[in-house]
Amino acid sequence: MGFDEMDVDTIWKDGEFVDWEDAQVHVLSHGLHYGSGVFEGIRCYDTEEGPAIFRWDEHADRLYQSAKPYELEIDYESEELEEATAELIRRQGLEECYIRPIAFFGYDSLGVSPKDCPTVVAIAVWPWGTYLGEDALENGVEVKVSSWRKHASSQIPTNAKTTGLYVNSMLAGEEARRHGYVEAIVLNKEGNVAEGPGENLFLVRDGEIYTPGLAESILDGITRQSVITIARDLGYTVHDQATISRGELNTADELFFTGTAAEVTPIKRVDNVTIGERGPITEEIQSRFFDVVERRTDEYDDWFTYV
Ligand code: PMP
């Protein structure tokens, strides 16, 4: 669904609330030409106590950390951005939504050096259902191992959520969809499993849980961190610095993706290999995840900011 069909009309840009149509940038903005921006994807869930933003602090922290290697100065404190987000949600009367903060080098000159380009900071919120589809949450998705590899972290910081990195995600995802799959799995330069184009990956084998470690060219997902905590609290052993070979995908008992957009989505097939319907451990973790984010439990309350 396009933005025009959504009931949203306000964007926060550089300290001000502006009309949706007025949130414009110049075509010669540095960030547009060179992908020199950083962003976040955050969810706000509908709960009994009203809209609740999931793990704002961790997302804001990742935004500032992502900006560091690029020397992109974000002149707003986390609290200011959080308050702007809450105000956007209140003003537009949203009960649940996706939140997209972005900061990038703006308009001044187009040398590769962004030295005089100002930082543009904006936040938009809009209603957005689960990324890979409601049906996918229950029945799982079919995925294709991409012919494109992830950038090595010696080539570009893959643990930073940088706009330019997402052309790799786009190539992998579109290739998979062109072949009739819903999403891709992307291997790292060594040929081991990294992640999805916009998701982390978890594997279940013999009752234990594995997810690629931070040295495997992944983004350290906030959902990944949350699922690791939830799974351990449920009593599972989680190997969170695993190296997973491509072949291990085929012998997994269960596989699932995690991400702000995709939430917890089971994977039922990888290329020609059937993994199976949503497995019991995936189902338990997924159901616990939704109990947590929709606040049907008091636990993990410090993960939420009530709007
Ligand atoms: N990996 C990539 C490449 C992503 O874009 C995302 C989405 N931000 C994730 C993993 C999952 O991260 P998170 O759980 O923080 O959304």
Side-chain angles (χ1 to χ4, degrees):
M1 184 160 89
F3 289 120
D4 287 349
E5 299 151 67
M6 290 179 193
D7 203 13
V8 276
D9 55 22
T10 309
I11 284 178
W12 181 92
K13 180 164 176 277
D14 295 326
E16 284 170 42
F17 293 94
V18 298
D19 285 342
W20 196 270
E21 306 76 58
D22 297 333
Q24 308 279 0
V25 293
H26 198 281
V27 292
L28 299 182
S29 297
H30 194 278
L32 179 61
H33 291 250
Y34 306 123
S36 56
V38 297
F39 68 107
E40 273 303 317
I42 310 172
R43 270 194 194 273
C44 172
Y45 284 95
D46 181 14
T47 77
E48 292 236 311
E49 272 131 272
I53 303 173
F54 184 53
R55 307 203 75 171
W56 174 272
D57 290 345
E58 289 77 5
H59 282 284
D61 195 48
R62 189 171 66 186
L63 183 74
Y64 296 110
Q65 296 289 1
S66 294
K68 268 196 198 163
Y70 303 102
E71 298 182 38
L72 175 73
E73 303 282 345
I74 301 175
D75 291 331
Y76 298 92
E77 303 291 332
S78 170
E79 294 70 30
E80 293 173 271
L81 300 181
E82 186 178 23
E83 181 43 36
T85 301
E87 183 59 20
L88 281 173
I89 295 169
R90 286 190 292 261
R91 279 196 194 196
Q92 299 176 97
L94 296 167
E95 270 147 16
E96 55 189 346
C97 61
Y98 180 85
I99 303 161
R100 170 57 59 85
I102 184 167
F104 58 95
F105 285 111
Y107 172 78
D108 176 75
S109 54
L110 270 182
V112 171
S113 168
K115 61 183 182 345
D116 294 320
C117 297
T119 306
V120 178
V121 186
I123 306 170
V125 304
W126 64 86
W128 206 11
T130 196
Y131 188 51
L132 302 174
E134 279 296 324
D135 171 71
L137 292 180
E138 202 181 317
N139 297 316
V141 288
E142 302 186 343
V143 302
K144 173 175 171 45
V145 174
S146 182
S147 69
W148 295 99
R149 297 285 173 92
K150 282 282 292 194
H151 314 271
S153 54
S154 56
Q155 295 170 317
I156 193 160
T158 49
N159 59 343
K161 201 166 164 59
T162 309
T163 58
L165 283 177
Y166 282 79
V167 289
N168 177 264
S169 292
M170 188 180 100
L171 286 167
E174 292 307 291
E175 177 191 57
R177 286 182 277 277
R178 222 178 285 126
H179 286 85
Y181 295 84
V182 172
E183 190 57 305
I185 290 178
V186 191
L187 306 179
N188 61 22
K189 199 158 158 275
E190 291 71 39
N192 294 318
V193 176
E195 58 184 354
E199 306 88 0
N200 290 111
L201 181 128
F202 284 74
L203 177 153
V204 179
R205 196 177 51 228
D206 296 335
E208 298 192 357
I209 300 171
Y210 299 79
T211 192
L214 302 183
E216 306 293 325
S217 297
I218 65 160
L219 183 75
D220 186 8
I222 314 293
T223 322
R224 173 185 184 276
Q225 296 166 19
S226 309
V227 161
I228 291 168
T229 303
I230 288 172
R232 287 189 177 141
D233 290 350
L234 287 170
Y236 289 103
T237 300
V238 184
H239 306 269
D240 66 356
Q241 300 299 323
T243 296
I244 299 177
S245 66
R246 179 174 183 171
E248 286 174 275
L249 294 171
N250 306 329
T251 54
D253 296 331
E254 303 178 29
L255 289 174
F256 61 91
F257 277 138
T258 66
T260 297
E263 303 182 298
V264 177
T265 298
I267 296 171
K268 67 175 171 197
R269 187 154 69 87
V270 181
D271 294 312
N272 56 323
V273 176
T274 299
I275 308 300
E277 299 300 303
R278 174 175 63 185
I281 296 180
T282 305
E283 185 168 358
E284 186 183 1
I285 289 171
Q286 187 191 48
S287 132
R288 183 73 177 148
F289 176 81
F290 283 109
D291 281 348
V292 169
V293 295
E294 288 162 6
R295 305 310 298 129
R296 288 186 291 271
T297 164
D298 297 339
E299 282 172 78
Y300 315 105
D301 203 45
D302 57 343
W303 285 356
F304 296 86
T305 310
Y306 294 91
V307 169

